[in-house]
Amino acid sequence: MDFNLTNITSNKSASVQHVDVLVIGSGPAGFSAALYAARADLNPVVLTGMELGGQVSLTYAVENYPGFPDGVGGTQLVELFQKQAERFGARIEFDTATEVDLSKRPFRVTAYNGEYLAETLIITTGATPIHLEVPGEVELTGRGVSYCATCDGWFFKDKDVVVVGGGDSALEEGIFLTRYAKSVTIIHRRDTLRAGAILQKRAMDNPKIKFLWNTVVEEIHGEDAVHSLRLKNVTSGEKMDYPTQGVFIFIGHRPNTQIFEGQLDLDEHGYLVTDNLMHTNMPGVYAAGEVADPVFRQVVTSAGMGAAAAMQAILFIQEHAEEQAETPPLAEAKL
Ligand SMILES: Cc1cc2nc3c(=O)[nH]c(=O)nc-3n(C[C@H](O)[C@H](O)[C@H](O)COP(=O)(O)OP(=O)(O)OC[C@H]3O[C@@H](n4cnc5c(N)ncnc54)[C@H](O)[C@@H]3O)c2cc1C
């Protein structure tokens, strides 16, 4: 089979393109996968989705990605990822996958602007932190509103910050933030926490942590940086302005796996299930980054998984090309 075949056929106004490697997603995992596949001369195509660069493009500065001793802007890092992948032949398509058919190879992926037949698929569609959806949240993301304490905690040295949520992540990240922050207020809409007992005890014993129960955030205020929250007590209905310099929101993450439901194995939270070689349950389909990782959720870990997934896809293509070469053509086989 000619794996480099680019087969453009007419489908109404859309095209069908046959590619060796299709990467769905343009975050750190996607660009890293594309870089590795491109350097193996496989001309990968990357579907960017709605967020070129993924979550990291939302952040003002990244200080924990190796190689940048002075930190690097989120958007600048994304530009560098893209440039490096393109330098070796990756093609970036500003399109979103809407449907996949993984029942046979090549896998069929439908996007808004066309269709792809992919010999291998690398899924890097990431996860989306669940938002509070209150005024000020979007505008102040990266300017005091954060969804990642490991990433942004350092910027809040000796500041008063707030954590929203009552599960394990909220408490873990709240405890982590006490390394830097002067105080951490955990705001929870109920009067009991969902987090495990040990974490609860640790948080309650921490002198820097206090709790505001039965409370929800209604608005986040600030111009260039957060300065206060509008809070509401859900039992009394009372409202108040609460001064703070940082709001860390940990009310859950939603993996972007809806289009794979019923075709690939997902865990109980909707994350794609992979083995440690990034294989999904479908040979030739790999997953990398946050779409398959509810634990580490970092740029560096996602990029690492992307590289690993691409290395496996390269191997898969090589092995299938060799098998193809070893199989005699039908006429010859009959002799
Ligand atoms: C505000 C913020 C700040 C952060 N700061 C840091 C930091 O300082 N350091 C750090 O290490 N980590 C940080 N993180 C975490 C880090 O950004 C993520 O761990 C990382 O981006 C995950 O990479 P990913 O490639 O797996 O997925 P994502 O970055 O989530 O990217 C997913 C990609 O998939 C695309 N996509 C989704 N659905 C489709 C579809 N159907 N078709 C095509 N494309 C699709 C999206 O458009 C996007 O391009 C931060 C996260 C946030 C939200």
Side-chain angles (χ1 to χ4, degrees):
M1 185 183 300
D2 179 2
F3 282 104
N4 283 318
L5 176 74
T6 298
N7 179 12
I8 316 262
T9 52
S10 160
N11 171 14
K12 295 189 186 147
S13 59
S15 62
V16 180
Q17 299 183 46
H18 191 161
V19 296
D20 282 340
V21 180
L22 184 68
V23 180
I24 309 185
S26 62
F31 277 133
S32 164
L35 170 65
Y36 274 68
R39 281 175 53 81
D41 273 344
L42 292 174
N43 305 312
V45 170
V46 178
L47 300 184
T48 61
M50 302 297 279
E51 200 173 59
L52 174 68
Q55 297 172 59
V56 71
S57 62
L58 300 176
T59 196
Y60 178 68
V62 179
E63 300 209 318
N64 55 4
Y65 190 74
F68 297 92
D70 300 322
V72 57
T75 46
Q76 191 193 349
L77 185 60
V78 167
E79 276 170 30
L80 292 170
F81 282 158
Q82 179 176 349
K83 199 170 166 191
Q84 195 173 1
E86 284 180 324
R87 179 179 154 214
F88 294 101
R91 188 153 55 83
I92 314 301
E93 292 285 349
F94 294 87
D95 207 349
T96 298
T98 54
E99 219 180 308
V100 296
D101 177 358
L102 308 180
S103 59
K104 59 178 188 300
R105 251 186 348 108
F107 307 114
R108 184 176 288 270
V109 175
T110 308
Y112 288 119
N113 299 324
E115 278 196 339
Y116 295 85
L117 293 175
E119 294 301 330
T120 60
L121 201 60
I122 303 180
I123 301 169
T124 64
T125 47
T128 310
I130 298 175
H131 290 191
L132 288 174
E133 293 182 11
V134 297
E137 183 178 16
V138 172
E139 299 83 338
L140 291 162
T141 292
R143 299 174 189 282
V145 174
S146 173
Y147 304 88
C148 178
T150 318
C151 318
D152 298 333
W154 192 88
F155 297 110
F156 293 86
K157 267 190 178 155
D158 300 322
K159 307 234 157 103
D160 297 306
V161 302
V162 151
V163 164
V164 185
D168 284 343
S169 303
L171 263 55
E172 266 170 27
E173 307 276 327
I175 294 166
F176 177 82
L177 284 168
T178 59
R179 293 173 187 215
Y180 309 104
K182 188 160 62 168
S183 76
V184 176
T185 305
I186 297 182
I187 297 184
H188 187 40
R189 63 189 164 150
R190 302 210 169 84
D191 60 358
T192 50
L193 297 164
R194 273 181 294 113
I198 294 175
L199 267 180
Q200 290 200 31
K201 178 162 177 7
R202 248 186 241 153
M204 299 216 180
D205 289 347
N206 190 312
K208 282 190 175 180
I209 295 184
K210 61 183 172 193
F211 290 87
L212 275 181
W213 303 105
N214 299 314
T215 301
V216 293
V217 177
E218 288 199 325
E219 288 168 20
I220 302 173
H221 297 157
E223 297 290 323
D224 293 330
V226 169
H227 64 64
S228 64
L229 306 178
R230 185 79 174 150
L231 302 181
K232 179 180 170 188
N233 184 303
V234 288
T235 44
S236 66
E238 202 181 309
K239 298 196 180 191
M240 67 164 162
D241 283 329
Y242 194 81
T244 189
Q245 289 141 319
V247 194
F248 288 81
I249 300 164
F250 301 115
I251 54 173
H253 265 71
R254 198 176 291 120
N256 301 317
T257 52
Q258 295 80 349
I259 58 172
F260 310 108
E261 275 170 20
Q263 301 195 60
L264 293 176
D265 287 349
L266 306 178
D267 73 9
E268 71 271 27
H269 301 293
Y271 287 88
L272 284 171
V273 176
T274 62
D275 63 13
N276 60 3
L277 296 175
M278 308 294 125
H279 295 210
T280 66
N281 58 306
M282 181 65 64
V285 180
Y286 308 89
E290 283 202 20
V291 72
D293 167 27
V295 180
F296 298 112
R297 303 203 294 229
Q298 295 292 290
V299 176
V300 68
T301 50
S302 301
M305 289 179 199
M311 288 164 84
Q312 290 298 300
I314 294 163
L315 201 61
F316 182 92
I317 286 173
Q318 271 168 4
E319 283 171 0
H320 280 75
E322 280 160 20
E323 271 169 27
Q324 201 78 30
E326 279 163 17
T327 312
L330 206 52
E332 199 183 309
K334 277 183 190 157
L335 293 175

